[in-house]
Amino acid sequence: QVQLVESGGGSVQAGGSLRLSCAAYGYTYSNYCMGWFRQAPGKEREGVAAIYSDDTTTTTYADSVKGRFTISQDNAKNTLYLQMNDLRPEDTAMYYCAAYADRCWVPFSPTDFSYWGQGTQVTVSS
């Protein structure tokens, strides 16, 4: 049974940083597309970043976070990360970790992903 557990959310001021983690359980961390999504109140869930488990150079980012966010993984720990720098109030949302068994499709969509975590809240104040 695949389980994804996020942590690391919180409240920061604009310009601050947070690092989200997503621990993966119940499957071999191989040949999976791993992604981060976010959803603000009243808005659709949007893709933030994605990475292919077997090739850390295969990453993709939403234009709104390029240069500020970095997705990475520690395969030995079955853990996905999202380093978020220079946070802005518009980054405020619930952040979700997600996965599906295949290489990452670009662009990536929430409908591509089979497994989801419960989410972790990020709040950025101005």
Side-chain angles (χ1 to χ4, degrees), residues 96-107:
Y96 298 90
C97 170
Y100 69 89
D102 205 345
R103 290 182 172 270
C104 295
W105 295 98
V106 178

Side-chain angles (χ1 to χ4, degrees), residues 8 12 16 21 34 37 43 52 60 75 95 102 107 111 114-115 119 124:
V12 297
S21 299
M34 305 297 299
F37 290 80
K43 295 188 176 181
Y52 179 49
T60 185
N75 289 26
Y95 282 71
D102 205 345
T111 57
S114 306
Y115 307 105
V124 185

Side-chain angles (χ1 to χ4, degrees), residues 69-124:
F69 291 11
T70 302
I71 189 170
S72 63
Q73 58 194 3
D74 185 336
N75 289 26
K77 296 181 179 180
N78 283 15
T79 301
L80 179 72
Y81 301 101
L82 185 69
Q83 178 66 44
M84 305 185 295
N85 298 329
D86 189 23
L87 282 161
R88 304 167 181 171
E90 54 264 38
D91 295 318
T92 295
M94 184 71 78
Y95 282 71
Y96 298 90
C97 170
Y100 69 89
D102 205 345
R103 290 182 172 270
C104 295
W105 295 98
V106 178
F108 60 103
S109 165
T111 57
D112 297 332
F113 289 76
S114 306
Y115 307 105
W116 291 86
Q118 82 288 349
T120 186
Q121 178 68 37
V122 172
T123 302
V124 185

Side-chain angles (χ1 to χ4, degrees), residues 2-78:
V2 176
Q3 186 177 10
L4 303 173
V5 181
E6 303 99 332
S7 61
S11 297
V12 297
Q13 290 191 326
S17 298
L18 284 172
R19 188 176 82 155
L20 306 183
S21 299
C22 171
Y25 303 96
Y27 67 101
T28 301
Y29 199 87
S30 177
N31 195 33
Y32 272 79
C33 181
M34 305 297 299
W36 286 101
F37 290 80
R38 66 186 182 186
Q39 189 166 19
K43 295 188 176 181
E44 292 187 355
R45 190 167 297 189
E46 64 170 344
V48 175
I51 187 169
Y52 179 49
S53 62
D54 294 6
D55 182 0
T56 57
T57 66
T58 306
T59 59
T60 185
Y61 294 92
D63 288 343
S64 58
V65 305
K66 281 181 182 176
R68 300 188 298 122
F69 291 11
T70 302
I71 189 170
S72 63
Q73 58 194 3
D74 185 336
N75 289 26
K77 296 181 179 180
N78 283 15

